[in-house]
Amino acid sequence: MAPSTPTALQTDTWVKATWDDFVATLDTAPYDESRGYFDNGYMRIERAPLGGGHARQNSVVSKVVSLFAMVRSLRCTEFTNGSFHKTGERGCQPDVAFYIGPNFRLPPQDNSPIDINVFGPPTLAIEIGGSSFKDDLGAKRLLYERLGVGEYWVVNVAEQQVLAFAVAEGGSRQIWVSAVLPGLELSLVEEAVGRSQTEDDTTLMRWLMEALA
């Protein structure tokens, strides 16, 4: 039986669905340009507009991670809005994700979702939470725990706050210093997000380089 693809799907909330429903929905207009999540028999299709705060803080946090990895000579690859699928079980599309460390394989540069069964889950997954902030701390956090990422960060756009969680054995606990980016204090990430409210990128990156030196 072909999966159902409702033409008036309720978006920006979790709805009961099969994996086939989830995949078919993301292949069907107008949802093919949306962000999609699937876990435990439910899917969430996000179509809410992303404002300047979300876009800016997403950019700043990814710069902090990438620059820290460069300064500390950590092997690191970033994926912005990339889809990660564990076929039949879970799917996600974090605002930004990173593979970090010496042993990961680079996924192919095509339009297919990254196959977690082949390449493993991201080492670090980050959600920038505007209207979705409560869900990022709730259902999505459970999704990333089950997926087995190394760390999960949630950025509260309104408060310029970064909440970070170490994930292990199907659960998570809040942390204040990253383990996948050894020595990176989350207070530094928060300060960068706060500075981004008034500083341009050149000024911000100059400060960050000095802080990491």
Side-chain angles (χ1 to χ4, degrees), residues 4 41 45 49 53 57 73 79 81 86 89 97 101 121 175 205:
S4 58
I45 305 299
Q57 292 182 34
S73 298
F79 294 87
N81 291 327
K86 188 171 186 179
E89 297 182 29
I175 56 174
M205 290 302 102

Side-chain angles (χ1 to χ4, degrees), residues 121-198:
T123 313
L124 170 62
I126 303 171
E127 295 284 359
I128 311 298
S131 60
S132 66
F133 176 66
K134 290 184 179 179
D135 186 75
D136 293 336
L137 285 179
K140 285 185 189 175
R141 178 177 168 185
L142 293 175
L143 164 58
Y144 287 113
E145 288 175 356
R146 294 178 182 126
L147 205 60
V149 302
E151 282 182 15
Y152 174 51
W153 298 2
V154 179
V155 179
N156 184 342
V157 171
E159 302 294 333
Q160 295 98 58
Q161 178 187 28
V162 181
L163 301 173
F165 303 91
V167 178
E169 298 179 352
S172 64
R173 61 179 178 83
Q174 189 172 1
I175 56 174
W176 288 266
V177 180
S178 174
V180 300
L181 296 160
L184 176 59
E185 297 184 6
L186 276 300
S187 59
L188 182 71
V189 184
E190 284 191 337
E191 186 172 355
V193 170
R195 284 174 173 265
S196 74
Q197 306 300 302
T198 57

Side-chain angles (χ1 to χ4, degrees), residues 16-95:
K16 192 168 183 61
T18 66
W19 175 262
D20 288 342
D21 290 335
F22 171 66
V23 173
T25 298
L26 291 177
D27 283 338
T28 304
Y31 309 113
D32 51 347
E33 296 183 358
S34 305
R35 296 173 62 206
Y37 299 82
F38 183 88
D39 184 39
N40 206 30
Y42 285 82
M43 72 176 176
R44 177 183 172 99
I45 305 299
E46 295 188 352
R47 302 192 72 211
L50 304 179
H54 183 287
R56 176 78 171 127
Q57 292 182 34
N58 190 12
S59 173
V60 168
V61 172
S62 69
K63 283 182 172 68
V64 173
V65 173
S66 295
L67 189 57
F68 182 89
M70 183 191 73
V71 169
R72 300 300 172 90
S73 298
L74 296 173
R75 186 168 176 257
C76 172
T77 298
E78 175 183 352
F79 294 87
T80 302
N81 291 327
S83 294
F84 298 83
H85 286 184
K86 188 171 186 179
T87 302
E89 297 182 29
R90 292 183 181 89
C92 62
Q93 195 172 349
D95 288 298

